[in-house]
Amino acid sequence: MTEPAGFDLRRPWSLHPQVAVRPEPFGALLYHFGTRRLSFLKDPDLLRVVRALDGQPSARAACAEAGIDRARLPAFGRALATLARTHMIVPRDEPEFTSPERELEGGKAP
């Protein structure tokens, strides 16, 4: 399988430390407090993948943990590549970016 340009599913990834996650019925909202960028995850499965990133050795393993089958992996790789380009997720092997996921509840910042 070809990896999305600039994104390696074999690497460990993590939510950026300045990103908060707010679950919604359609998926989730991600808000980056550093860039003030808002991203919509329009698929609950993608939210499961993002939540699984910190606990898995690679993005591919996070997809497997979230129940994403091989046929859907290219689409999830593209979605994760977009999240990486917008700095919502970062390579976990860069120590300054490691952080546990934060949740926004009731619209309050962490």
Side-chain angles (χ1 to χ4, degrees):
M1 182 189 94
T2 303
E3 302 290 339
F7 188 81
D8 188 352
L9 285 168
R10 297 168 298 181
R11 285 183 85 175
W13 292 83
S14 183
L15 208 58
H16 189 285
Q18 290 185 306
V19 172
V21 177
R22 183 170 134 183
E24 295 288 344
F26 58 81
L29 299 173
L30 300 183
Y31 182 75
H32 194 300
F33 285 94
T35 64
R36 295 185 170 184
R37 176 173 237 144
L38 181 66
S39 292
F40 294 85
L41 302 185
K42 298 177 185 173
D43 185 338
D45 290 340
L46 184 55
L47 174 59
R48 283 194 291 282
V49 170
V50 168
R51 284 183 166 163
L53 286 173
D54 282 329
Q56 296 299 320
S58 68
R60 185 183 304 277
C63 288
E65 175 70 20
I68 307 306
D69 62 47
R70 292 178 62 91
R72 295 177 66 202
L73 201 53
F76 280 82
R78 287 188 299 275
L80 291 170
T82 298
L83 293 175
R85 267 193 314 277
T86 59
H87 306 288
M88 295 292 180
I89 63 171
V90 291
R92 194 168 62 231
D93 50 5
E94 295 178 13
E96 68 271 18
F97 292 117
T98 58
S99 173
E101 179 181 318
R102 286 147 311 275
E103 300 274 336
L104 280 178
E105 294 190 26
K108 295 180 183 173

